[in-house]
Amino acid sequence: EADIYQTPRYLVIGTGKKITLECSQTMGHDKMYWYQQDPGMELHLIHYSYGVNSTEKGDLSSESTVSRIRTEHFPLTLESARPSHTSQYLCASSGLGPTKQYFGPGTRLTVT
Amino acid sequence: GESVGLHLPTLSVQEGDNSIINCAYSNSASDYFIWYKQESGKGPQFIIDIRSNMDKRQGQRVTVLLNKTVKHLSLQIAATQPGDSAVYFCAENIHNDYKLSFGAGTTVTVRA
């Protein structure tokens, strides 16, 4: 089992609220990722980081922002949640090698 | 658009039979192809990868085949078990970067 954690697991929130999704890993991985996934659908990369103070936008445009102040922590923030942000958000990390990513259990976000 | 994709969204398999899950890709520049398994309520989990200069790779009860002529990737699961019920995703890694591009999943259901 990978040591990567996401909180909360489920979040229902009203439109316009600011939210932060937490992601932490204890493996010392320098690379971390955020994906957005609708039920049963493919994963879309929205943010990634290759180390502290390094963040990049992924292939899918997202209104969210991320920060990487500590190696183990990669939070995602939505300044003003909207119903279109309703989705599952998956955090992952990887060490050496380009293929093996370790995923957290995900946060299922519903914006009403 | 997506570079990788799967032929069938669902697959029903009798317990004990072999499963074959297919994936087509379009990017000839891919360095690695990877299979992930996502069980209900969990994040994806790495199964096996294959480098683009290989045709076949075997793991524990799984075999991945790569046909570069027709740009086709498959995952074979031997003696399918109830615990194999999940959504399976193929993914690709391009130019040995650490980002992965995921295709749509195939939901495998194992019948007792």
Side-chain angles (χ1 to χ4, degrees), chain B residues 32-44:
Chain B
Y32 287 91
F33 299 92
I34 313 103
W35 284 99
Y36 278 81
K37 171 187 180 183
Q38 186 175 23
E39 296 176 85
S40 180
K42 298 183 179 181

Side-chain angles (χ1 to χ4, degrees), chain A:
Chain A
E1 291 291 325
D3 296 325
I4 181 162
Y5 308 98
Q6 290 186 246
T7 58
R9 290 294 311 277
Y10 303 92
L11 179 62
V12 180
I13 201 162
T15 298
K17 299 293 186 182
K18 177 180 178 179
I19 60 169
T20 297
L21 307 184
E22 302 288 349
C23 176
S24 294
Q25 51 96 4
T26 59
M27 296 172 282
H29 287 165
D30 52 357
K31 294 172 276 294
M32 296 190 73
Y33 315 83
W34 276 103
Y35 293 88
Q36 187 173 337
Q37 181 187 34
D38 291 326
M41 303 297 287
E42 64 263 47
L43 286 71
H44 294 287
L45 181 68
I46 52 175
H47 298 284
Y48 63 99
S49 167
Y50 287 170
V52 171
N53 294 325
S54 159
T55 62
E56 300 286 346
K57 289 188 178 296
D59 302 321
L60 179 68
S61 177
S62 174
E63 295 168 345
S64 58
T65 59
V66 292
S67 62
R68 189 90 183 273
I69 299 172
R70 304 196 316 265
T71 298
E72 64 270 22
H73 195 214
F74 192 40
L76 180 146
T77 298
L78 274 168
E79 290 293 333
S80 180
R82 295 194 280 114
S84 61
H85 297 138
T86 294
S87 189
Q88 174 162 255
Y89 293 84
L90 289 160
C91 180
S93 71
S94 66
L96 298 175
T99 63
K100 192 170 187 177
Q101 295 185 6
Y102 296 85
F103 284 82
T107 293
R108 189 169 296 280
L109 172 66
T110 302
V111 184
T112 61

